[in-house]
Amino acid sequence: MSSDLKSKFLQVYEVLKSELIHDPSFEFDDDSRQWVERMLDYNVPGGKLNRGLSVVDSYKLLKGEELTEDEVFLACALGWCIEWLQAYFLVLDDIMDESHTRRGQPCWFRLPKVGMIAVNDGVVLRNHISRILKKHFRSKTYYVDLLDLFNEVEFQTASGQMIDLITTLVGEKDLSKYSLSIHRRIVQYKTAYYSFYIPVACALLMFGENLDDHVQVKDVLVEMGTYFQVQDDYLDCFGAPEVIGKIGTDIEDFKCSWLVVKALELSNEEQKKLLNENYGRKDPGSVAKVKELYDSLNLQGVFEDYENKTYEKLVKSIETHPSKPVQAVLKSFLAKIYKRQK
């Protein structure tokens, strides 16, 4: 990713933020303007920005030539809409999960003056997307399609979060509810659509394409998003904390992780009993026992096998796509995540 594009992208953030805190539909005073600005700076631009930047990347690959200033701005604005969507989900997710840190700093709702105001801030973040789209895309032929896309993906993500929450009810720790198919459904809806599909869908709409003609692209990206989350589950347990930037807690948190689902699939009765007794417990001894079991089942080898097979499958299905530029977009996504360490 060129640092040039990233700094351009961040400039667009400043423009959008300024427009939002001077939105003529609301009479801001100094306090409310400062609150929104601080809330945005804390929650929106802090991540890796991969989702947002990939709208610009994808549009460039589709167009196949240099972008005009205006095209760069619009592609960045759509990229930021995705980052705003992400911020909205994360602010509310952290409250639901009672998390403490996010991106190496305290969660927004954990700040002394914020607390439950963060719930309303989440609502405000979601509404900012509509404001940005209205201001910059209202005159475009694809405006309605953009609104539809964001609404659809928000619905899918919220529904994925719901099945995650009701499946992992901590009060009733029941591993028998966990299977590959439930893991896949959670991941597909909670992560794949907004992390992988929506950036490419935005670029396709800007390029004048009809999304109904690109169901195959959606399928490949959702498959890629699923693979990405399986990597995440794997790294949570086997990744180096200093590389991934966090200490994994999936075992303690009783998460429906790909590793535990695979372990259940491969375990004998004795091993299942050990899992049931130790999975989802906070004490280090229990966590160590689960990790030992993972090692004895050779889950690292099982994961490598999964990774290689999935990669081959994805490359094959990408190469059947009739459009070379679309292939290039999909291959660039795959290259970014294949064998990643963080």
Side-chain angles (χ1 to χ4, degrees):
M1 173 58 55
S2 70
S3 58
D4 202 25
L5 173 56
K6 192 157 186 179
S7 62
K8 174 73 201 160
F9 192 60
L10 289 166
Q11 278 169 18
V12 173
Y13 168 75
E14 293 299 330
V15 173
L16 297 173
K17 178 177 74 174
S18 174
E19 290 170 354
L20 290 163
I21 58 180
H22 297 93
D23 192 317
S25 293
F26 178 67
E27 284 180 47
F28 283 93
D29 57 15
D30 288 345
D31 285 349
S32 53
R33 191 171 277 129
Q34 277 168 7
W35 181 276
V36 175
E37 177 159 27
R38 180 168 167 244
M39 185 268 290
L40 290 176
D41 287 344
Y42 198 89
N43 293 297
V44 178
K48 298 187 286 287
L49 308 180
N50 287 341
R51 293 171 182 83
L53 288 163
S54 52
V55 177
V56 191
D57 276 351
S58 300
Y59 185 71
K60 269 188 180 159
L61 288 167
L62 290 172
K63 193 182 175 197
E65 53 189 76
E66 274 311 295
L67 307 189
T68 66
E69 273 294 300
D70 189 45
E71 285 176 316
V72 172
F73 180 86
L74 290 176
C76 286
L78 285 180
W80 278 114
C81 284
I82 301 169
E83 294 295 335
W84 247 268
L85 187 68
Q86 156 98 326
Y88 152 60
F89 290 143
L90 298 186
V91 165
L92 297 180
D93 263 19
D94 286 342
I95 300 172
M96 289 179 253
D97 295 343
E98 298 175 37
S99 300
H100 288 272
T101 55
R102 160 78 61 190
R103 296 167 173 169
Q105 58 181 13
C107 301
W108 176 241
F109 83 99
R110 293 281 179 192
L111 298 192
K113 287 185 180 166
V114 180
M116 285 304 118
I117 300 173
V119 176
N120 190 64
D121 289 333
V123 176
V124 170
L125 285 164
R126 172 58 183 104
N127 278 277
H128 282 169
I129 298 168
S130 312
R131 309 304 294 167
I132 295 168
L133 292 175
K134 181 177 179 181
K135 181 162 178 70
H136 296 284
F137 296 91
R138 197 160 192 281
S139 61
K140 306 289 182 205
T141 52
Y142 53 88
Y143 177 57
V144 174
D145 299 299
L146 275 177
L147 292 177
D148 257 356
L149 174 66
F150 276 89
N151 288 338
E152 182 99 350
V153 168
E154 182 190 3
F155 171 66
Q156 289 168 316
T157 309
S159 303
Q161 171 73 347
M162 175 188 62
I163 53 173
D164 189 16
L165 292 167
I166 64 180
T167 308
T168 58
L169 279 173
V170 174
E172 36 190 276
K173 289 187 178 162
D174 178 10
L175 280 176
S176 67
K177 284 202 275 191
Y178 289 177
S179 65
L180 266 184
S181 63
I182 190 81
H183 176 268
R184 191 181 174 83
R185 280 180 67 225
I186 291 171
V187 167
Q188 182 176 336
Y189 289 103
K190 190 182 163 178
T191 305
Y193 284 103
Y194 95 90
S195 302
F196 283 79
Y197 174 58
I198 204 173
V200 176
C202 282
L204 286 166
L205 287 174
M206 250 188 90
F207 193 59
E209 293 287 319
N210 181 340
L211 294 181
D212 294 338
D213 300 335
H214 291 283
V215 177
Q216 185 197 351
V217 172
K218 181 194 271 189
D219 292 344
V220 169
L221 287 162
V222 168
E223 188 59 48
M224 235 182 264
T226 305
Y227 161 50
F228 177 84
Q229 185 60 48
V230 171
Q231 287 177 314
D232 238 35
D233 291 353
Y234 174 81
L235 291 170
D236 186 272
C237 180
F238 294 109
E242 64 278 9
V243 180
I244 61 172
K246 60 181 180 187
I247 294 162
T249 57
D250 283 359
I251 294 171
E252 293 93 315
D253 296 342
F254 198 69
K255 283 280 164 63
C256 182
S257 157
W258 183 83
L259 293 170
V260 77
V261 169
K262 271 293 176 202
L264 285 164
E265 212 177 80
L266 300 167
S267 287
N268 60 30
E269 288 312 308
E270 185 81 12
Q271 292 166 319
K272 276 192 184 133
K273 186 166 175 287
L274 185 139
L275 262 182
N276 276 301
E277 285 166 4
N278 294 284
Y279 197 72
R281 292 179 55 154
K282 299 273 183 235
D283 70 288
S286 293
V287 174
K289 281 182 185 163
V290 173
K291 288 191 175 180
E292 277 166 31
L293 177 62
Y294 285 177
D295 283 335
S296 66
L297 294 169
N298 186 28
L299 284 191
Q300 286 183 269
V302 174
F303 169 75
E304 278 169 30
D305 189 46
Y306 163 84
E307 178 159 60
N308 294 329
K309 284 192 172 129
T310 304
Y311 180 76
E312 278 172 37
K313 191 173 129 191
L314 283 166
V315 171
K316 268 196 183 124
S317 66
I318 291 169
E319 286 176 346
T320 63
H321 198 282
S323 153
K324 285 285 183 229
V326 171
Q327 280 194 33
V329 169
L330 296 173
K331 283 184 172 170
S332 84
F333 262 76
L334 186 53
K336 280 178 199 158
I337 62 168
Y338 181 51
K339 293 215 184 283
R340 70 192 177 96
Q341 297 302 310
K342 61 174 181 180

